[in-house]
Amino acid sequence: MKRFNICLLLLFISSSSLFAQEIDTLPINTKGLEIKLKRSPLPSRIGSLDFKPVKIVPMVIDEKVNYWRTTTTIGIDVNQGAFSKNWRSGGVNSFAVGGLVNYKASYTKEGFSYTSDLRMEYGKIKNKDQLQKKTKDRIFWDNKANIQLSKSWFFFGSVTLETQFDDGYNYYRGGPNNDEQKQLISKFFSPGYITESIGFEYKPVNYFSTRLGTGTAKQTFIGNMDALIEAELARNPNSKKADYFGVPSDKNFRNELAFQITSTFGEKQIFTNVFLYARYNMFIPYDRKLEHIDHRLDVTLKSRINKFMNVTINGVGLFDKDSDPEIQASQNLSLGFGFTFPR
């Protein structure tokens, strides 16, 4: 009974407070009431504000938009080894030097873009009691113009030039003293390749693209056919070679129509201070069997030690039956100095 009375009392108090709150919030009609507000003690000023115009001399900025972007990379690598006459572990004195120049210019405005990429490589090595030999030798110049069709698709036209700087030789032992000798097998623009292509390019990101050259023509040039034939006959007087790099021995030029696929992975940082560049090209002639499809893969992996020194390893895989029936490969590892402008 006591608990009941306490609960009843609490219920009465809560209902009373609610009722009181409800009474406090009743609206009061103030119509007709004379309510005077006290004047603010703060001083006030009533008047018009005069605004005087200020003359501002317009500033003319004489700036022009540059749609061009250029970069130049120069690399030099040196390799040297020397041994005394009594060096029991064996070895051959050697000296090697190589260089790389890569110039790239690009123009982009609205839906049009143009890119010119020039790569020049040359290197030589000299071992004791041996003839000088090339370690790398290439001139590659690619020019491409794009018209944007959608976010990732472009219509492109390109012209590519590829050849070498210096004479190329095949080395062998012969003669009365079995000395090292050389046979001329290639020269500057012998062979030389010029490829024109139009088609569509897929470029989902800045560092990767794939070209589908539906209309492609490639010209193979032999600038000095007589020198190559003479070198072949000097090595083998009974030789009856019919063609050189796919060009008949009685001509200096050959044209082919084909479908071409070119994929490029630009110099992209894949790890800390490690950059990858790769380019794959497939050339499918329209008038020849599928066994004459040409393949070329270039891969370069570069690691930067500091701003000027880097370690570079590059490899090339080539399959071209006009040049050789087997797969050709080359690899080069170098420690050198590299400079890029602008930085």
Side-chain angles (χ1 to χ4, degrees):
M1 187 66 182
K2 185 177 181 180
R3 292 181 180 178
F4 177 77
N5 293 332
I6 293 173
C7 292
L8 187 63
L9 179 62
L10 293 176
L11 180 62
F12 176 77
I13 293 173
S14 61
S15 62
S16 298
S17 62
L18 291 174
F19 179 73
Q21 181 179 4
E22 188 176 349
I23 294 174
D24 291 341
T25 57
L26 288 175
I28 299 175
N29 188 7
T30 59
K31 185 176 181 180
L33 299 179
E34 295 182 0
I35 301 176
K36 295 182 180 180
L37 299 177
K38 293 183 179 180
R39 185 177 181 180
S40 175
L42 298 177
S44 61
R45 181 179 179 181
I46 300 175
S48 60
L49 298 177
D50 296 332
F51 294 94
K52 295 182 179 180
V54 178
K55 293 183 179 181
I56 299 176
V57 179
M59 182 181 295
V60 179
I61 302 176
D62 187 13
E63 293 290 340
K64 296 181 180 180
V65 178
N66 187 5
Y67 297 99
W68 285 94
R69 182 181 178 185
T70 61
T71 56
T72 303
T73 301
I74 300 175
I76 301 173
D77 54 86
V78 178
N79 189 347
Q80 183 266 339
F83 306 89
S84 63
K85 293 182 179 180
N86 59 340
W87 186 258
R88 297 301 182 184
S89 296
V92 177
N93 296 348
S94 65
F95 179 80
V97 62
L100 163 70
V101 176
N102 182 17
Y103 175 79
K104 187 172 184 179
S106 60
Y107 175 90
T108 303
K109 184 178 180 181
E110 298 176 353
F112 175 79
S113 63
Y114 168 77
T115 304
S116 179
D117 187 5
L118 175 63
R119 293 174 178 266
M120 299 183 293
E121 300 176 87
Y122 187 76
K124 269 198 169 185
I125 185 172
K126 178 66 173 73
N127 295 328
K128 184 180 179 182
D129 299 329
Q130 294 182 13
L131 299 174
Q132 290 186 5
K133 298 179 177 66
K134 293 192 297 185
T135 55
K136 51 187 176 181
D137 185 5
R138 190 188 188 202
I139 301 174
F140 176 81
W141 189 16
D142 182 54
N143 298 271
K144 179 186 66 173
N146 275 348
I147 298 177
Q148 189 168 8
L149 302 177
S150 64
K151 181 180 179 180
S152 301
W153 285 94
F154 301 81
F155 178 79
F156 82 91
S158 67
V159 178
T160 305
L161 168 68
E162 186 172 1
T163 185
Q164 62 193 49
F165 285 102
D166 202 1
D167 296 344
Y169 296 96
N170 182 25
Y171 297 91
Y172 62 96
R173 293 282 178 177
N177 299 323
N178 199 30
D179 295 330
E180 188 175 37
Q181 300 184 33
K182 60 183 181 181
Q183 176 197 358
L184 181 69
I185 56 175
S186 60
K187 294 176 68 67
F188 173 74
F189 230 75
S190 296
Y193 302 98
I194 297 179
T195 305
E196 307 91 3
S197 183
I198 59 172
F200 300 93
E201 180 180 38
Y202 176 65
K203 190 175 183 179
V205 290
N206 291 332
Y207 55 86
F208 175 78
S209 66
T210 296
R211 303 183 206 173
L212 304 176
T214 54
T216 302
K218 182 175 74 172
Q219 296 82 44
T220 304
F221 297 89
I222 302 296
N224 197 336
M225 180 67 77
D226 294 337
L228 298 182
I229 295 176
E230 183 180 347
E232 176 71 19
L233 293 176
R235 172 75 189 277
N236 184 7
N238 298 322
S239 176
K240 295 181 180 179
K241 199 167 184 180
D243 59 70
Y244 292 81
F245 302 97
V247 179
S249 56
D250 58 341
K251 297 182 179 179
N252 295 90
F253 167 84
R254 179 183 180 183
N255 184 58
E256 292 181 278
L257 299 178
F259 178 82
Q260 182 174 254
I261 299 176
T262 303
S263 295
T264 304
F265 188 93
E267 193 167 298
K268 169 71 174 176
Q269 181 170 321
I270 55 175
F271 303 110
T272 303
N273 293 331
V274 178
F275 298 82
L276 173 65
Y277 168 83
R279 187 178 191 272
Y280 170 73
N281 183 75
M282 180 170 62
F283 186 83
I284 309 174
Y286 285 133
D287 59 345
R288 306 176 74 181
K289 297 181 180 179
L290 293 179
E291 61 184 16
H292 290 281
I293 296 178
D294 299 339
H295 304 268
R296 182 183 176 108
L297 175 63
D298 294 80
V299 179
T300 300
L301 196 63
K302 180 172 67 176
S303 176
R304 292 180 180 173
I305 300 175
N306 52 40
K307 290 183 178 180
F308 304 105
M309 297 185 65
N310 53 67
V311 178
T312 304
I313 180 171
N314 55 54
V316 178
L318 174 63
F319 179 74
D320 182 357
K321 276 199 168 184
D322 294 331
S323 176
D324 194 275
E326 302 293 333
I327 296 177
Q328 304 174 58
S330 70
Q331 177 268 328
N332 185 274
L333 174 65
S334 62
L335 170 65
F337 301 91
F339 308 91
T340 301
F341 309 97
R343 298 197 63 82

